Amino acid sequence: MVLLREQIRYKSRKEVEKLREAGRLAANALRLTAKSVKPGISLLELDKIAETYIRQNGGTPNFKGYHGFPGTLCTSVNDKVVHGIPSHYVLQEGDIIAIDCGAKLDGYHGDTCLTVGVGQISEQAKMLIQTAQLAMYLGIEHSRPGNRLGDMSTTVQKFAEERGYSIVREYIGHGIGRDLHEDPQVVFAEQRPGTGFRFEPGMTITIEPILNIGSHKCIVEPDGWTVRTKDGSLSAQFEHDIHITKDGPEILSIPDPEFELEDGL
Ligand code: MG
Ligand code: MG
């Protein structure tokens, strides 16, 4: 991938603080929603919880209306990969749900995702979720000056595949700032070490690999949004916004302590 340096908008310290505030708002709303996940609650009810919190705290849901997307959240259950539209679907014991939450605050965007189980879930599902979270943190750890995209991406893909999972190709990370999606494109598969953009101080990007139990192949449902695995296998995703400093990555989408989930999510 050839990418001109000029396409990446490097952020000032002040802008990073704005992104941290937006990231915190999205992270709080996400966990407030995740705490409400239980058998019997609908995706639309979850969406309402997130939207209410974001608006009450001075933000706006930035996914809502984005190319016509109807929700505050993307709610992707079981074999849904990304962009699941909040619907009347009622969560069942044993489901897993990836919740992606975005908020705009004072002109800057936050965008963060996690996957949780509904009630008791299978060991297979638990392993997928844990591995998806670790894959994200591995990606964050390797997003540092001295590395290029291909170094980070290869590490994440190898980690996932050695554990028997695949990485989704089409849905990737991105720069984040005044726009929800900025350059560069942050891919997590099929790169070569030593290639791609260099991680440099002042970059703000999302790290959001998606792991499937089966094949990486996906299909888009007739609603034009919901993406699911082609083979029907489970999918999980975690996402943080990060800022590259000269000393390494810094996570921007950190919730306030009172919002943290029991298992450290
Ligand atoms: Mg997201
Ligand atoms: Mg994102």
Side-chain angles (χ1 to χ4, degrees), residues 178-253:
R178 281 191 170 278
D179 285 320
L180 176 57
H181 296 129
E182 300 184 350
D183 283 333
Q185 296 193 345
V186 185
V187 296
F188 304 100
E190 294 184 313
Q191 302 300 301
R192 277 178 297 117
T195 65
F197 68 80
R198 295 173 193 280
F199 293 99
E200 292 176 320
M203 290 173 65
T204 51
I205 59 172
T206 68
I207 298 295
E208 50 175 315
I210 305 170
L211 273 65
N212 294 348
I213 284 184
S215 157
H216 65 80
K217 291 190 176 142
C218 300
I219 50 178
V220 181
E221 296 212 321
D223 65 22
W225 280 107
T226 311
V227 177
R228 67 173 173 83
T229 57
K230 195 173 178 195
D231 60 11
S233 67
L234 293 179
S235 182
Q237 183 181 25
F238 286 78
E239 174 184 23
H240 268 310
D241 307 330
I242 67 167
H243 166 221
I244 313 298
T245 78
K246 67 175 178 31
D247 300 318
E250 172 193 32
I251 297 174
L252 298 174
S253 43

Side-chain angles (χ1 to χ4, degrees), residues 248-261:
E250 172 193 32
I251 297 174
L252 298 174
S253 43
I254 293 181
D256 289 315
E258 64 268 31
F259 286 87
E260 275 171 16
L261 301 177

Side-chain angles (χ1 to χ4, degrees), residues 106-145:
D106 203 12
Y108 289 82
H109 290 270
D111 179 13
T112 180
C113 173
L114 53 75
T115 302
V116 290
V118 183
Q120 284 295 322
I121 61 171
S122 68
E123 285 305 313
Q124 196 190 32
K126 271 185 210 164
M127 282 304 295
L128 169 68
I129 292 173
Q130 283 175 14
T131 311
Q133 188 183 23
L134 286 171
M136 174 194 66
Y137 282 121
L138 193 64
I140 292 171
E141 179 61 26
H142 286 264
S143 298
R144 54 175 60 246

